């Protein structure tokens, strides 16, 4: 059994890790930390876990975690970077669900996250944990930077097109929509149901932190420079991301459906829907699956890709478990083979 | 492997059976019927099942089902009763999620369901499938009448009090609230999100079909005659039932918390919350669990019980699988041991 | 024109007052206070008010308010009581939407609100502002305690029955459900859409602050002592309260429909629905109207009353404007005669 | 008083017309038709109208409508075109909220609407009722084709840019999101809250009927040919449309904020928000207002416009009343000057 620890067990990605790992046959969660809830039983805070978890929250300090084989950081940004070095030194594998190790350029990181990075040397060592592009690196990684939710949905949609070099990478548009759980479990006015229910709005149009992450990764995959316009929106629902992606096609006559199906034929968690389909976030609820459809409306110059995930699973905790499975040589689907909760 | 068939695979209880049975290690679903979708692949209608189910819908006729060990009826009322006799004769065990076999008195059934019952003789043979009260009968049953959603939440809340004979059974009140999936997957105006979203209302106050079912079953358990006022309400959410139950206490000084905890100590799917708790439908989403709390506000004469379930699982398909596990001698939790999807 | 001031203009009852008063032909809002947003334009915080309100928030101090004819307190509890005396001395009429002046017994107030009352002498002077019971007193009042949202819906439902002395007042049950805006516009975890969306739960079952308020007022109206069990619930919607009320009838054969219609025949904001109806919070959205239906299920011993309001209008700001209309001798419907926003 | 009739009074645009006209000081609604509800009181079907409307539904036949000064068609497509000629002959002004008269080219209409047009000669006579572009024509019109909801939000966003000729009209993208009331009040499975709640999906990506309407109108305004990619999505909320619009800028250094503010300076129902703003559908709920913001993310080559309306008001019935006000020489804001219902 893999001994796992979770730092930051009271946020939504933390409790989702607890849910997924409770059903994972090869993992034993031994430590869950929380500064605020230290000493409380985990299932007193999260009644959905009653009967599945007997732990109490402990303080988020390194010595509580060194006996683990793997530690997940489900923390706010700028926390993992303060503990990573010591834990790596203790031979603990790390999977960081925050943004601390996603960007390779420390200057870019510090600009977008407004803080000094505590261990810039680890940025190169960290592997960006999108299995569909980095599987081999993840197998050998000690430190995985788990991708953001928007970046996951967006990259999986653009990836086959960029790799095949069939779109103008200088005019990419990602119009993305997220359920409210993406904002986390911190007290806020903007997250109140009275504010975010029955309403729809964009946010971060001048610049969102996931923009440099997506741009960095798409640039790796693209033959030509990438320029992306990224617009996140808030949807009055709890879980789910829908990315609607647009790009000008370099040529017509490409069989886009075939391109996507071939590209993802062996991927366990990317499901290319039949031609003409419209994926629904409601069909991937609770699962680690990305469902994708590709369209060329009226046979015109613009390709439209529709990509949906559950932001807390494929967009966070499920992808983290997927990365762990790869890092520990398990079957990739272990513990993640669930049917979406519909309706 | 148990060979299972599902009649009426396109409604919500049908697709929920498909979800649960896809993850059940001892069951192989071999037949799914649908009059309307006959010939279509199941996962073309329900994309959440892609990769889990390769079947096509077939016609709902007896000969398609006789090779099954067990058949679930996830049909509208008045369908199962037309096929039950022949299937039982073919040695198929039946679990009916509709109301056809729930009432013992054919006259009462015909009054509330407005139809002539097609096989009244089976009403006595049918076992009412609430495991917490009828486990021994279910073990030996060939025909199980799976309880309604409201009746499940309501009975589990009143049960310890009636068995202990500590409440006035002549003045029971069940104020029950259901998510909209309880109304099923039929085209309707009242079920439109524009109608049922952002609104709350009671319905069926003069008389709802679950009233005679609850009354019949509570009367079995009660030492004195039962009189129940039952008010169902529609909640603008998809899954979940919350029953708020009231009864006058015959005496004060009873340790109600202890009464409930003792009563349900060995039940795998009833979870009595700590004293003072308020169960949340969101904590049992997707699970077969009933979470219950008991209160005696201001130490007064009225006991208040709060009982929550997922109407599609413990209130329908999960309870049906539980009944199947009992009927076939499996561990009762097989395939049903999932963590609630929170948030 | 009546010169009006609003203390606490950034909460939901404050912004709802601004909405209603912007459309009131006889009122000019001249002062809006906010400690937190002082100096900001009101319509920069609330874009729905763009074009209707040119004011900036000012500090909540007495000298900013003494030129007003009427001041509304849309503040948290324990604020109005610190400013009321001085404002009354300056001949300003006060309408307090908080709970500071609702209870007559200072000991009860201090027990439930956990604070020392700053001006207990005003408790007697204050008039409880439910127009349907206190219209004549309101006409002459300088200080009106605007009722709570649950108390409004509950009292209007029990009122005709208690006045007619046809129910056992010792066994009243109010099962009440509120949209989330009732919790106000303060940052919180429990109010997040991720927490309160797609879920239903009770809260405050051991005791909610509206219980003593309802009990006090119902006791005034009742010939015999009142004992009430009150259970509030949180509904995943923004606006609306639905109170489902139960009481044992003292006798059968009463024409309850006629009783209600007669009782409310002249009330401009109470609408008794036809026999058999189920009022829907969605039909009173945005309006000052209470819609009520009365049922006697199966002709039995229990009367069931269904009462719906918009918690922010008839349950707060609309009722405050109604009280103002009465205090200033205006037609009671002035500025309040709007059609509910359906769907 | 203007005598008004409404054909198709039971859909959402019909009942919204009834709401708006009930508060319009110059209009008397004298006829409301409904094939299905003929003979029933209007307020028996719509309890929100109790006290505001004493009419009964009558049959939708010409002779019931000829005494009206204006008739609104709030009907499904292909109904207005069968009655328009006779009503115009009777000197009744017509405002059609359906799509029957929106397209100028009968072949295009018949292709997208899949029917033979009943009176193609009226297509030229009909005036497309977007006041911001066609005010002068509307003043003299007898037959106004009220724009679709998506087309309204989309055109208002692109209009200043196309008129100023600062964008490449050959690469327009409209990523549009609508609340579920846009699908109308017909029984359907896809519109059930269980299906459309807690989920987000695109639809009609290969081609939606509003595409030719938008293309036709934008082409009128543009100096160069227009090519538009239009993606509608369904949002789990009742009211509201959010259009996120993208276009490549022909040049940099344009003051886009100033361009928009100047363009809409005199428009009563278009509100350009301050620089950097993100309009929220929740701020225009229940109003005839379009709120718009314009962004140039990272000062790049792509302009992003955010445009929100209430689909039932500015996207349908409110715009129809606005058109009526213009046709009858009233102040344009008459009956439409309401504050948005927030929260």
């Amino acid at each position: 059994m893999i001994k796992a620890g979770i730092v930051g067990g009271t946020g939504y990605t933390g409790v989702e890790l607890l849910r997924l790992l409770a059903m994972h046959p090869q993992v034993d969660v031994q430590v869950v930390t929380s500064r605020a809830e230290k000493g409380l039983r985990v299932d007193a805070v999260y009644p959905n876990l009653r009967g599945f978890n007997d732990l109490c929250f402990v303080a988020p300090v390194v010595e509580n975690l060194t006996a683990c084989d793997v530690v997940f950081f489900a923390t706010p940004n700028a926390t993992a970077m303060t503990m990573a070095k010591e834990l790596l030194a203790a031979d603990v594998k790390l999977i960081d669900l925050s943004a601390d190790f996603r960007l390779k350029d420390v200057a870019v990181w510090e600009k977008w996250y407004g803080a000094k990075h505590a261990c810039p040397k680890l940025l190169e060592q960290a592997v960006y944990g999108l299995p569909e592009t980095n599987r081999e690196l993840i197998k050998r990684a000690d430190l995985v930077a788990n991708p953001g939710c928007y970046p996951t949905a967006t990259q999986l949609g653009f990836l086959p097109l960029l790799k095949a070099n069939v779109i103008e990478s200088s005019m990419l548009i990602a119009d993305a929509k997220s359920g409210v759980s993406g904002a986390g479990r911190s007290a806020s006015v903007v997250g109140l149901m009275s504010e975010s229910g029955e309403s729809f709005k964009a946010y971060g149009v001048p610049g969102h932190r996931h923009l440099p992450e997506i741009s960095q990764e798409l640039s790796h995959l693209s033959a030509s420079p990438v320029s992306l316009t990224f617009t996140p929106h808030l949807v009055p629902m709890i879980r789910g991301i829908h990315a609607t992606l647009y790009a000008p096609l370099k040529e017509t006559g490409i069989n886009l459906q075939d391109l996507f199906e071939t590209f993802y034929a062996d991927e366990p968690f990317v499901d290319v829907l039949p031609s003409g389909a419209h994926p629904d976030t409601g069909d991937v609820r609770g699962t680690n699956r990305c469902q994708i459809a590709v369209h060329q409306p009226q046979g015109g110059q613009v390709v439209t890709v529709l990509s949906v995930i559950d932001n807390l699973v494929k967009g966070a905790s499920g992808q983290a478990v997927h990365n762990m499975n790869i890092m520990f040589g398990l079957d990739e689907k272990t513990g993640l083979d669930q049917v979406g909760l519909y309706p």
Side-chain angles (χ1 to χ4, degrees), chain A residues 5-33:
Chain A
I6 297 172
V7 184
T10 56
Y12 290 136
T13 56
V15 68
E16 186 69 354
L17 278 169
L18 288 166
R19 180 180 77 91
L20 293 168
L21 294 176
M23 299 185 288
H24 193 295
Q26 314 264 7
V27 175
D28 185 25
V29 177
Q30 300 197 331
V31 185
V32 187
T33 82

Side-chain angles (χ1 to χ4, degrees), chain A residues 5-330:
Chain A
I6 297 172
V7 184
T10 56
Y12 290 136
T13 56
V15 68
E16 186 69 354
L17 278 169
L18 288 166
R19 180 180 77 91
L20 293 168
L21 294 176
M23 299 185 288
H24 193 295
Q26 314 264 7
V27 175
D28 185 25
V29 177
Q30 300 197 331
V31 185
V32 187
T33 82
S34 165
R35 200 178 305 274
E37 312 287 2
K38 192 175 60 168
L40 277 181
R41 280 181 65 97
V42 169
D43 67 1
V45 179
Y46 295 115
N48 67 318
L49 292 168
R50 283 171 60 89
F52 296 96
N53 189 307
D54 290 330
L55 297 172
C56 290
F57 290 109
V58 299
V61 291
V62 167
E63 51 267 38
N64 283 337
L65 297 157
T66 48
C68 294
D69 298 311
V70 62
V71 165
F72 296 89
F73 283 94
T75 42
N77 298 323
T79 299
M81 67 183 185
T82 67
M83 300 171 72
K85 207 169 153 187
E86 286 178 89
L87 286 168
L88 288 171
D91 264 344
V92 181
K93 289 181 193 288
L94 302 184
I95 300 173
D96 177 23
L97 284 77
S98 83
D100 286 9
F101 300 104
R102 290 181 195 154
L103 300 183
K104 291 304 176 193
D105 184 330
V106 66
V108 175
W109 192 93
E110 295 186 346
K111 174 189 160 200
W112 284 90
Y113 290 92
K116 183 145 187 62
H117 201 287
C119 55
K121 287 186 184 159
L122 287 177
L123 290 180
E124 265 317 303
Q125 181 181 336
V127 171
Y128 188 77
L130 190 70
E132 289 79 7
T133 56
N134 282 348
R135 183 172 273 109
E136 292 310 312
L137 291 173
I138 294 165
K139 282 183 187 169
R140 304 188 300 269
D142 289 321
L143 170 56
V144 164
N146 210 58
C149 48
Y150 287 126
T152 297
T154 302
Q155 289 174 67
L156 293 176
F158 278 130
L159 191 53
L161 298 167
L162 285 175
K163 285 280 210 177
N165 196 19
V166 298
I167 53 174
E168 300 282 0
S169 62
S170 60
M171 176 68 191
L172 306 184
I173 290 172
D175 191 285
K177 302 88 174 173
S178 174
V180 296
S181 62
R185 194 170 172 268
S186 299
S188 76
V189 169
V190 76
L192 294 177
M193 185 169 179
S194 298
E195 300 289 316
S196 51
E198 280 296 301
S199 75
F200 189 91
K201 60 176 161 298
Y203 65 102
V205 175
H208 182 283
R209 288 167 169 183
H210 284 174
L211 174 62
E213 179 183 342
I214 303 171
S215 294
Q216 165 186 289
E217 294 301 311
L218 292 184
S219 295
H220 289 175
L221 309 167
S222 172
S224 47
V226 165
S227 180
L228 171 71
T229 301
F230 171 57
T231 312
H233 303 75
L234 197 61
V235 184
M237 65 182 180
I238 297 174
R239 287 173 180 246
I241 280 183
H242 187 293
T244 312
L245 311 174
Y246 303 93
L249 287 163
K250 287 183 176 170
E251 43 186 314
T252 54
I254 308 156
N255 188 329
L256 294 168
Q257 181 70 24
D258 189 57
L259 175 66
F260 272 69
E261 289 186 3
T262 303
F263 193 89
Y264 286 123
D266 297 327
E267 283 299 338
F269 295 115
V270 183
D271 179 20
V272 179
L273 297 184
S275 180
H278 297 87
D280 186 332
T281 63
D283 287 325
V284 297
R285 189 182 297 131
T287 82
N288 197 48
R289 179 180 274 187
C290 176
Q291 288 191 328
I292 288 189
V294 58
H295 290 259
Q296 188 178 357
Q298 284 94 48
Q301 290 291 339
V302 175
V303 57
T304 304
V305 183
L306 314 173
S307 165
V308 301
I309 60 171
D310 182 323
N311 56 305
L312 295 179
V313 193
K314 180 64 176 165
S317 304
Q319 188 145 269
V321 173
H322 187 188
N323 279 317
M324 181 199 70
N325 287 346
I326 296 173
M327 292 162 84
F328 287 82
L330 306 180

